[in-house]
Amino acid sequence: MNDEKNMMDTISSSLSLGDGWRVENVAFDEKSGEFHIFVVPAPHEKFTCPVCGRICRSYDREESERVWRHIDMLEYRSFVHCRRPRVSCAFCGVRVISVPFARKGSRYTLSFEGAAVILTKAMPNDRVRKRLGISNTSLSYLCGASKEGSPTENRHEI
């Protein structure tokens, strides 16, 4: 049981999850050779309204699950799954909040984006693209996003 907690803590750290979030489950799909990480908000957590910045109570979670590519674990592709919380703001209505591990509109975690940028400084883009299993378009997006500022500065609501 202690090993499982250590694993969950390590994965939480790689996602920079705060107190309001937790890793609920990690599954390995042997057929596809992929890890799937399931993240949920803490129950009864309060979040900041993405429009006005007021602290609001959690309303529910979005209907469909979103998936982000994460850094490889043990050389296997990894994906983070989450149904983002929605808040009920007295001034702005019901709004979906962002997750702490990804930028607005990105389908990659901040860790994955950072790894991609670091690799492009160390090797040719074609090798980076093959190593990460992404397209030229995706690599261009990731490198362009890094020029906008640090990933944490670019966290915005979707």
Side-chain angles (χ1 to χ4, degrees):
M1 182 65 137
N2 200 21
D3 289 341
E4 184 175 332
K5 182 181 177 348
N6 288 340
M7 177 188 68
M8 297 295 204
D9 289 346
T10 299
I11 293 170
S12 291
S13 292
S14 78
L15 290 167
S16 300
L17 295 181
D19 292 336
W21 301 84
R22 67 181 175 85
V23 174
E24 182 178 55
N25 187 31
V26 176
F28 180 70
D29 182 340
E30 192 171 347
K31 186 175 182 179
S32 66
E34 298 171 347
F35 279 101
H36 295 273
I37 303 161
F38 298 87
V39 173
V40 296
H44 311 296
E45 186 67 24
K46 291 189 177 188
F47 296 97
T48 303
C49 173
V51 177
C52 69
R54 288 181 173 85
I55 301 297
C56 303
R57 65 179 174 80
S58 182
Y59 180 74
D60 64 4
R61 287 194 253 165
E62 64 187 340
E63 224 173 89
S64 55
E65 180 180 84
R66 297 206 178 217
V67 181
W68 293 263
R69 175 74 188 278
H70 190 43
I71 54 175
D72 292 352
M73 293 190 331
L74 304 172
E75 307 241 351
Y76 293 102
R77 289 188 180 171
S78 301
F79 299 88
V80 178
H81 301 253
C82 182
R83 286 177 45 220
R84 297 174 303 169
R86 298 191 316 158
V87 294
S88 179
C89 178
F91 298 93
C92 304
V94 176
R95 302 291 179 160
V96 178
I97 68 158
S98 64
V99 291
F101 51 82
R103 287 182 315 103
K104 176 185 178 182
S106 181
R107 291 292 177 225
Y108 304 98
T109 65
L110 293 169
S111 297
F112 186 89
E113 289 187 8
V117 170
I118 290 167
L119 288 174
T120 60
K121 294 177 189 300
M123 63 180 74
N125 285 357
D126 192 46
R127 283 185 50 207
V128 173
R129 188 181 59 71
K130 287 178 183 174
R131 170 70 179 95
L132 297 176
I134 59 176
S135 68
N136 281 330
T137 304
S138 293
L139 186 58
S140 294
Y141 161 78
L142 292 171
C143 291
S146 73
K147 292 176 184 158
E148 295 172 10
S150 72
T152 53
E153 291 173 359
N154 288 319
R155 285 190 208 171
H156 300 290
E157 311 311 322
I158 294 178

